[in-house]
């Protein structure tokens, strides 16, 4: 709420949102990465002004290990997006629940 002496121009801008993206390049008949690059990334970064960090999975448990071991994960990102099937989703969730700082 502004009082009479404050101006909208002087209010601090909210910080840019940050998303961690896990992408399985084999997903969607191997079209996930081209669709990400051509459609989704520009939409998030240009249109919605959201910062993204892309991690392309290279093997089974790659995402799980990253999420489980990444220091400061919760403060570094506002959310996680999974571009793949349900296997990668389960992998990421398992990594989150195996973190030392996870509270059930």
């Amino acid at each position: 709420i502004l009082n009479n002496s404050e101006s909208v121009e002087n209010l601090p801008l909210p910080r840019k949102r940050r998303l961690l993206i896990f992408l399985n390049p084999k997903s969607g008949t191997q079209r996930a990465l081209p669709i990400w690059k051509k459609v989704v990334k520009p939409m998030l970064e240009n249109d919605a002004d959201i910062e993204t960090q892309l991690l392309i999975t290279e093997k089974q448990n790659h995402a799980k290990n990253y999420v489980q071991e990444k220091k400061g994960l919760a403060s570094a990102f506002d959310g996680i997006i999974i571009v793949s099937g349900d296997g990668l989703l389960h992998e990421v969730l398992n990594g989150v629940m195996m973190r030392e700082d996870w509270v059930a």
Side-chain angles (χ1 to χ4, degrees):
I1 299 175
L2 298 175
N3 61 41
N4 291 338
S5 64
E6 293 179 317
S7 169
V8 173
E9 292 84 24
N10 296 330
L11 292 175
L13 293 173
R15 70 170 175 76
K16 200 176 224 185
R17 298 294 177 212
R18 296 171 297 217
L19 295 176
L20 175 60
I21 316 295
F22 288 103
L23 185 140
N24 176 351
K26 306 289 188 207
S27 179
T29 61
Q30 300 186 9
R31 293 181 21 211
L33 186 57
I35 290 171
W36 162 258
K37 288 179 180 178
K38 187 174 181 180
V39 178
V40 181
K41 181 179 179 181
M43 188 183 329
L44 290 173
E45 293 183 351
N46 301 334
D47 299 339
D49 198 29
I50 295 173
E51 213 173 279
T52 63
Q53 179 178 327
L54 177 65
L55 190 142
I56 298 173
T57 57
E58 298 171 357
K59 59 186 177 193
Q60 187 173 358
N61 292 323
H62 183 186
K64 179 182 94 48
N65 293 336
Y66 181 90
V67 170
Q68 184 178 351
E69 297 165 8
K70 172 79 173 158
K71 301 289 184 209
L73 182 70
S75 61
F77 300 102
D78 297 298
I80 297 174
I81 293 179
I82 313 296
V83 182
S84 185
D86 60 350
L88 187 57
L89 172 64
H90 287 101
E91 187 177 313
V92 170
L93 289 173
N94 285 328
V96 168
M97 293 190 297
M98 294 175 80
R99 291 181 56 85
E100 289 182 16
D101 58 0
W102 169 255
V103 179

